Amino acid sequence: MLKKNIYLGLIGFGNIGTGVVKLLKENAEILEQRLGTKIILKKIVDINIEAPRMVAVDPQLLSTDVNEILNDPEIDIVIELVGGYDPALRFLTDALKKGKHVVTANKALLATYGNELFQLAAKQQRNICFEASVGGTIPIIKTIREGLVANRIKSVLGIMNGTSNYILTKMTEEKEDFETVLKEAQKLGFAEADPTFDIEGIDTAHKLALVLTLAYGKRVPLKELYREGISGISQQDVEFAGELGYHIKLLAIARQHDELIEARIHPTMVPFHHLLANVNGNYNAFHIIGDASDSVFLSGQGAGMMPTASAVISDVIDISRDILKGTSWRIPARSFQEDVIQDINLMPIENIITHYYFRFSALDHPGVLSKIAGILAEENISIATVIQKGRKKGQAVPIVMTTHKSQEKNVRQALEKIDRLDIVQGHTVLIRIEDDRLP
Amino acid sequence: MLKKNIYLGLIGFGNIGTGVVKLLKENAEILEQRLGTKIILKKIVDINIEAPRMVAVDPQLLSTDVNEILNDPEIDIVIELVGGYDPALRFLTDALKKGKHVVTANKALLATYGNELFQLAAKQQRNICFEASVGGTIPIIKTIREGLVANRIKSVLGIMNGTSNYILTKMTEEKEDFETVLKEAQKLGFAEADPTFDIEGIDTAHKLALVLTLAYGKRVPLKELYREGISGISQQDVEFAGELGYHIKLLAIARQHDELIEARIHPTMVPFHHLLANVNGNYNAFHIIGDASDSVFLSGQGAGMMPTASAVISDVIDISRDILKGTSWRIPARSFQEDVIQDINLMPIENIITHYYFRFSALDHPGVLSKIAGILAEENISIATVIQKGRKKGQAVPIVMTTHKSQEKNVRQALEKIDRLDIVQGHTVLIRIEDDRLP
């Protein structure tokens, strides 16, 4: 049986784009054996087609004019790897309007303009695929949307940013300060010159927004996601965490409570025995609990040329299979039918209930501990453990406490009172804990 | 737009069947929101329809006559949860011949008669889905076939049998003997009265055969898979493993070497730091390395009513999406197009190269160690570590050694010579090690 070849247009010939071209070339045979037809990369567009790349390409394929892709009726699938908002949004919009399927790794764009793009794709009945946008090579989109389709998703906990995880891992393993490790990571190319997106949890927020959409079928206003980065994590807290049996990870947390959804991003203490605590370096990971599946855990490379290209091409093959069967929009992009997608109803951060770690900087006076404990008790916060070390009469020493389950509102009120005490110096450090062994 | 409902017939109303009925009922709303149409369970067939179940069912749905499903033209998808070879094979064959799509969790059947079934399904262009047959709730079939479609699979290491993993975990945590733990597991319902299938690696072999087929597009003769179970693992070896920094796991190992594929199932020492070493209790897990993706790790419940039902229904939804779009056989069941499927070319076990753990039972005489070491050297086996403990002059004491990478053929020859020495008692214990930190 003769089958139509599949024609691709690639916009953006940077690091990931190079990986896509390399992989299409190197694994062409196995891709054809699996798909049953050839995939032909017909055009590559980039603003710079002169720069040397790690893969040899017929110069005829290269162009600086995106219209050579958008206006070519033979091209079935457009891969957008430009990044950023503009002109990426324009390219994707135009491609969909011209009846092309699209693949993108652009989480920032989808988290911000996803609603418009998904609606347009639905209207056009064209696939918009984005497996590479969350968790790199890990098939997390496919797992939530297809593998766990029969489940109500009770929770998703994820390490969604490789740079932050690399920094926290190095701080733990090499007992170095945040600033030292960050500089090293920048030198090695694991962190950007301006690392804000990664270390302040902005990149994680983009990914969490997409995960929330897929898990619950909701529109997520990015700005309303509670977010703390890792720049405030000190070596001292990493060490105290270790003493308490925890590693600190930048977690994205999503949890369903009836109509409300809890969603937050912050440094989190995770018990040593938990699989997420053992995800190191620039790896990403997801721990999903479905009402039927129970725990499902996935980890893998969250970034990198070839791992990300692997995810991009898995999308290309999914779409190609639709094309070969004369169909499309087989799975709704947001996991739920478009007509049931609603605005998310986020739980206010003050209402969350979890375990806490506090590090107070207190003068070593008699009665300090009882004062702090008294204020915590007033706010219904019950203490699980206390570590007090290195007494230096009249000087500030760290007092570390962990709590049983407490409400964020009460915690904030208590810390405000405690921070006003004369015997307490500076701001108390607060790190949330995920530990289901504790009451 | 009015869409056709999807009609199911369920054959086998046991534990998993009950889970499927429960899940279809409990999550009907969310399934409809995702799929866009209703799924209607039209008929349930079992030889015993009188027994009480954990889910209430309209008695009209129940029948003992499988033809009420097979001959009902309205039924689109047949779910086979009977288990065993006969009549399950007949049911699946008949269903496919009558143009129905099928879903099964029957790994024994697929590993044995898969070739015929997959060819029939291809001929009929009907989907045969089996996500629940390997790794329970873990979307491992989907991950190999779709998520990692762009990769040459370099290796898959898996914990594919929950019962064995439960027993090995208990032996490690509670320092109990195999027999004691097995009896306990039987009492708790975690092991069958006849546990052979689970503890001797037969169930794991069924699953490895399916994984090999999907990863490499090969027909796998079940009997040629090298297989050792866990019944020979002693508490002493679990403890020595711990001292060396390893946990013992029953691993299924698949690895590609050009044209040859290495495939084996046996107890394996895995370093503490490896994610597989931390998969405990009745959990399953898979560590896949693709040439582009690099490491991808998945874990979750490998069995159980609701986790398995979650996988079964994910298949039902996949098929329903095809039906609603008027298509089928969108993805070839064996991951590769039928016309490229070949017989597997297995590497003989004698040719594998790995690390080894030996426990010799040697009389405490001067020169014992040098004799053993001499024989190993003759066979080109280089020793990595030695543990010798508890000297009792003239009595047998354990001597433990681990090796650098060695060839199985040489190892077998060396052990044959060593076991013939007067100073060595009984058979030397051999456990293979997966540790890529060692040369």
Side-chain angles (χ1 to χ4, degrees):
Chain A
M1 190 169 82
L2 274 177
K3 278 178 189 162
K4 176 183 177 309
N5 293 326
I6 301 290
Y7 291 92
L8 307 183
L10 169 64
I11 313 177
F13 197 17
N15 185 41
I16 310 300
T18 302
V20 166
V21 176
K22 247 172 83 79
L23 195 48
L24 283 171
K25 205 167 181 175
E26 288 171 4
N27 287 359
E29 190 193 13
I30 207 164
L31 284 168
E32 188 176 347
Q33 289 178 344
R34 288 176 180 157
L35 179 62
T37 190
K38 275 191 210 312
I39 294 180
I40 294 164
L41 179 58
K42 198 176 172 192
K43 189 60 71 180
I44 303 172
V45 168
D46 197 286
I47 42 168
N48 177 357
I49 54 174
E50 306 298 331
R53 262 91 177 182
M54 282 179 61
V55 62
V57 170
D58 177 355
Q60 297 259 321
L61 286 187
L62 295 168
S63 167
T64 55
D65 179 9
V66 74
N67 291 317
E68 290 192 31
I69 288 177
L70 298 175
N71 293 335
D72 182 343
E74 200 180 35
I75 288 178
D76 305 291
I77 305 172
V78 174
I79 305 173
E80 179 276 307
L81 296 173
V82 173
Y85 302 106
D86 184 67
L89 178 60
R90 197 152 33 88
F91 295 160
L92 288 174
T93 305
D94 283 3
L96 287 168
K97 284 189 178 161
K98 287 175 197 284
K100 300 187 186 309
H101 302 278
V102 298
V103 175
T104 175
N106 196 332
K107 49 256 175 195
L109 182 66
L110 290 177
T112 313
Y113 298 101
N115 196 44
E116 293 79 345
L117 281 168
F118 292 128
Q119 282 179 348
L120 175 60
K123 186 179 152 225
Q124 297 291 104
Q125 290 284 296
R126 284 297 172 268
N127 295 331
I128 174 165
C129 294
F130 47 100
E131 185 63 80
S133 66
V134 185
T137 207
I138 306 167
I140 181 65
I141 306 289
K142 195 174 271 294
T143 297
I144 297 178
R145 202 158 57 180
E146 302 174 44
L148 299 178
V149 65
N151 291 264
R152 285 174 198 278
I153 305 294
K154 292 163 79 172
S155 62
V156 182
L157 269 64
I159 295 172
M160 306 192 188
N161 180 271
T163 304
S164 298
N165 203 47
Y166 175 87
I167 291 172
L168 290 171
T169 302
K170 286 282 165 190
M171 285 178 71
T172 305
E173 288 174 355
E174 295 174 9
K175 302 191 186 304
E176 301 262 32
D177 270 335
F178 174 81
E179 288 299 338
T180 314
V181 174
L182 173 61
K183 268 181 204 144
E184 226 175 76
Q186 285 170 321
K187 218 183 289 171
L188 292 167
F190 290 140
E192 308 273 344
D194 177 358
T196 316
F197 252 56
D198 292 317
I199 64 171
E200 296 304 347
I202 301 168
D203 174 70
T204 302
H206 292 148
K207 292 164 178 170
L208 178 59
L210 287 170
V211 166
L212 286 164
T213 297
L214 296 173
Y216 303 111
K218 305 293 182 187
R219 286 181 288 268
V220 181
L222 201 51
K223 282 179 189 161
E224 288 177 28
L225 293 180
Y226 182 78
R227 173 172 61 78
E228 290 175 23
I230 61 164
S231 56
I233 298 294
S234 71
Q235 181 52 228
Q236 202 177 12
D237 295 314
V238 169
E239 281 170 35
F240 276 122
E243 235 175 277
L244 292 160
Y246 300 116
H247 288 312
I248 301 179
K249 296 290 178 188
L250 180 62
L251 287 198
I253 297 172
R255 224 176 237 125
Q256 183 158 34
H257 305 267
D258 301 320
E259 292 309 300
L260 285 181
I261 290 165
E262 180 183 340
R264 46 193 168 104
I265 296 147
H266 51 66
T268 310
M269 294 197 182
V270 188
F272 289 162
H273 73 91
H274 196 290
L275 284 166
L276 282 171
N278 298 294
V279 173
N280 292 320
N282 46 19
Y283 273 72
N284 283 16
F286 301 85
H287 184 240
I288 310 162
I289 301 183
D291 62 349
S293 66
D294 203 340
S295 284
V296 172
F297 177 84
L298 296 91
S299 74
Q301 297 276 6
M305 181 193 286
M306 298 314 286
T308 309
S310 165
V312 168
I313 296 183
S314 78
D315 280 344
V316 167
I317 299 292
D318 271 354
I319 297 174
S320 300
R321 286 178 162 145
D322 279 3
I323 293 172
L324 293 170
K325 290 288 181 180
T327 184
S328 70
W329 198 258
R330 193 178 148 275
I331 304 175
R334 291 194 257 197
S335 186
F336 288 74
Q337 298 294 316
E338 281 292 310
D339 56 3
V340 300
I341 305 263
Q342 294 181 332
D343 288 331
I344 200 166
N345 208 348
L346 289 172
M347 175 182 273
I349 186 71
E350 290 75 17
N351 292 10
I352 69 155
I353 291 172
T354 187
H355 302 96
Y356 293 84
Y357 159 100
F358 305 133
R359 180 166 54 79
F360 307 103
S361 204
L363 293 179
D364 191 11
H365 280 310
V368 169
L369 209 56
S370 87
K371 256 199 185 141
I372 291 175
I375 293 173
L376 292 173
E378 276 170 32
E379 296 290 347
N380 276 314
I381 297 161
S382 125
I383 298 168
T385 54
V386 179
I387 305 177
Q388 192 175 8
K389 277 193 178 172
R391 315 203 55 170
K392 291 182 194 163
K393 200 145 182 74
Q395 286 185 26
V397 291
I399 299 177
V400 162
M401 288 184 188
T402 64
T403 74
H404 291 298
K405 277 201 169 165
S406 310
Q407 195 177 344
E408 178 95 8
K409 194 173 90 185
N410 297 344
V411 165
R412 292 184 177 200
Q413 281 168 0
L415 294 194
E416 214 184 295
K417 287 188 205 167
I418 290 168
D419 285 355
R420 277 203 303 264
L421 295 175
D422 292 341
I423 48 168
V424 165
Q425 296 191 330
H427 273 298
T428 296
V429 172
L430 172 165
I431 301 178
R432 294 170 195 87
I433 302 174
E434 279 293 319
D435 190 345
D436 48 21
R437 300 166 306 178
L438 293 178
Chain B
M1 191 169 79
L2 274 177
K3 276 179 192 163
K4 175 182 178 310
N5 293 326
I6 301 290
Y7 291 91
L8 308 183
L10 169 64
I11 312 177
F13 197 18
N15 185 41
I16 311 300
T18 302
V20 167
V21 177
K22 248 172 81 80
L23 195 48
L24 283 170
K25 206 167 181 175
E26 288 171 4
N27 286 359
E29 190 193 13
I30 208 164
L31 283 168
E32 188 176 345
Q33 288 179 345
R34 288 175 179 158
L35 179 62
T37 190
K38 273 191 212 309
I39 293 181
I40 294 165
L41 179 58
K42 196 175 174 195
K43 187 61 70 178
I44 303 172
V45 168
D46 197 285
I47 44 170
N48 179 356
I49 56 173
E50 305 300 330
R53 262 92 179 182
M54 281 179 62
V55 61
V57 170
D58 177 354
Q60 297 259 324
L61 285 188
L62 296 167
S63 168
T64 56
D65 179 9
V66 74
N67 292 315
E68 290 193 31
I69 287 177
L70 297 175
N71 292 334
D72 183 341
E74 200 179 35
I75 288 179
D76 305 290
I77 305 172
V78 174
I79 305 173
E80 180 274 308
L81 296 172
V82 173
Y85 302 106
D86 185 67
L89 178 60
R90 197 151 34 88
F91 294 161
L92 287 174
T93 305
D94 284 2
L96 286 168
K97 284 188 176 159
K98 287 177 197 283
K100 299 187 185 312
H101 302 278
V102 298
V103 175
T104 176
N106 196 331
K107 50 255 173 193
L109 183 66
L110 289 178
T112 314
Y113 298 102
N115 197 43
E116 292 80 343
L117 281 167
F118 291 129
Q119 283 179 348
L120 175 61
K123 187 179 152 223
Q124 297 291 105
Q125 291 282 297
R126 284 297 171 268
N127 295 332
I128 174 165
C129 294
F130 47 99
E131 185 62 80
S133 67
V134 185
T137 206
I138 306 168
I140 180 64
I141 307 289
K142 195 174 270 293
T143 296
I144 296 177
R145 203 159 57 183
E146 302 173 46
L148 300 178
V149 65
N151 290 264
R152 288 175 195 277
I153 305 294
K154 292 163 78 172
S155 62
V156 182
L157 270 64
I159 295 172
M160 307 193 189
N161 181 269
T163 303
S164 299
N165 202 49
Y166 175 86
I167 292 172
L168 290 171
T169 302
K170 286 281 166 190
M171 286 178 71
T172 306
E173 287 174 356
E174 294 173 10
K175 300 190 186 306
E176 301 263 31
D177 271 335
F178 174 81
E179 289 299 338
T180 315
V181 174
L182 173 61
K183 269 181 206 143
E184 227 175 75
Q186 285 170 321
K187 218 183 290 171
L188 292 167
F190 290 140
E192 307 274 344
D194 176 359
T196 316
F197 251 55
D198 291 318
I199 64 171
E200 296 305 345
I202 301 169
D203 174 71
T204 301
H206 293 149
K207 292 164 177 171
L208 178 59
L210 288 170
V211 166
L212 286 165
T213 297
L214 297 173
Y216 303 112
K218 305 292 181 186
R219 286 180 289 266
V220 181
L222 202 51
K223 282 178 190 163
E224 289 177 28
L225 292 180
Y226 182 78
R227 174 173 62 77
E228 290 175 24
I230 62 164
S231 56
I233 297 295
S234 72
Q235 180 52 227
Q236 203 177 11
D237 294 316
V238 170
E239 280 169 35
F240 277 122
E243 236 175 277
L244 292 159
Y246 300 117
H247 288 312
I248 301 180
K249 296 291 178 188
L250 180 63
L251 287 198
I253 297 173
R255 223 176 238 125
Q256 183 157 34
H257 305 267
D258 300 321
E259 292 309 299
L260 285 180
I261 289 163
E262 179 183 342
R264 47 194 168 102
I265 295 146
H266 51 67
T268 310
M269 294 197 182
V270 188
F272 289 162
H273 73 90
H274 196 290
L275 284 166
L276 283 170
N278 297 294
V279 173
N280 292 319
N282 47 18
Y283 272 72
N284 284 16
F286 300 86
H287 184 238
I288 310 162
I289 301 183
D291 62 348
S293 66
D294 203 342
S295 286
V296 173
F297 178 84
L298 296 90
S299 75
Q301 297 275 6
M305 180 194 286
M306 299 314 286
T308 309
S310 165
V312 168
I313 297 184
S314 79
D315 280 345
V316 168
I317 299 292
D318 270 354
I319 297 174
S320 300
R321 286 178 163 146
D322 278 4
I323 294 172
L324 293 171
K325 290 289 181 179
T327 184
S328 70
W329 198 259
R330 192 178 148 275
I331 303 175
R334 291 194 259 196
S335 187
F336 288 74
Q337 298 294 315
E338 280 294 308
D339 57 3
V340 301
I341 305 266
Q342 295 182 333
D343 288 332
I344 199 166
N345 208 349
L346 289 172
M347 174 181 275
I349 186 71
E350 291 75 17
N351 292 10
I352 69 156
I353 291 173
T354 186
H355 303 95
Y356 292 85
Y357 159 99
F358 305 133
R359 178 165 55 79
F360 307 103
S361 204
L363 294 180
D364 191 9
H365 281 308
V368 169
L369 208 57
S370 88
K371 258 201 185 139
I372 292 176
I375 294 174
L376 292 173
E378 276 170 31
E379 296 290 348
N380 276 315
I381 298 160
S382 126
I383 299 168
T385 54
V386 180
I387 306 178
Q388 193 177 7
K389 277 195 180 171
R391 315 203 56 172
K392 290 182 196 163
K393 198 138 185 76
Q395 287 184 27
V397 291
I399 299 178
V400 162
M401 287 184 189
T402 63
T403 74
H404 291 298
K405 277 202 170 164
S406 310
Q407 195 177 344
E408 178 95 9
K409 194 172 91 183
N410 298 343
V411 165
R412 290 183 179 200
Q413 282 167 0
L415 293 195
E416 216 182 291
K417 289 189 205 168
I418 290 168
D419 284 356
R420 278 204 303 265
L421 295 176
D422 293 341
I423 48 168
V424 166
Q425 296 191 331
H427 273 297
T428 296
V429 172
L430 173 165
I431 301 177
R432 296 171 194 85
I433 302 173
E434 280 292 320
D435 190 347
D436 49 19
R437 297 167 307 177
L438 292 179

